[in-house]
Amino acid sequence: MKKWIFALMVSGMVFLIAFQCEDFSPNEVVDCIDKSKIKKDAPCYMIYDPVCGCDNKTYGNDCIAINSGVKSYTKGACK
């Protein structure tokens, strides 16, 4: 099953952007996410600057990736 990631925002204007990322088996993702670092209520700046997490998910920016528990990421959307 493919996963879709959506991002909304930019100074009062709302944009909808969708990226399709590859699926990975649960074992590949387990070592990528540090559950102790997941902060669902942590604030992040609202600048869309996509990063590709080690779980091959595109996050809206590095702050969102870090607060999602991602251990590493690269600049740019996942391919």
Side-chain angles (χ1 to χ4, degrees):
M1 180 169 95
K2 299 284 182 178
K3 295 183 182 179
W4 291 89
I5 298 166
F6 299 93
L8 306 172
M9 88 203 134
V10 177
S11 35
M13 302 175 110
V14 179
F15 294 92
L16 180 61
I17 303 170
F19 294 94
Q20 189 173 12
C21 295
E22 300 275 327
D23 281 340
F24 281 81
S25 68
N27 291 338
E28 293 177 31
V29 177
V30 170
D31 294 331
C32 177
I33 306 294
D34 183 347
K35 291 185 179 185
S36 70
K37 295 192 178 190
I38 296 174
K39 299 174 188 160
K40 294 181 181 182
D41 297 331
C44 280
Y45 48 88
M46 298 303 290
I47 297 171
Y48 185 70
D49 187 19
V51 297
C52 182
C54 53
D55 57 350
N56 207 39
K57 284 178 63 177
T58 299
Y59 294 88
N61 60 46
D62 59 345
C63 179
I64 296 169
I66 291 166
N67 289 328
S68 296
V70 175
K71 291 182 181 179
S72 65
Y73 56 86
T74 57
K75 214 64 167 131
C78 298
K79 296 178 182 174

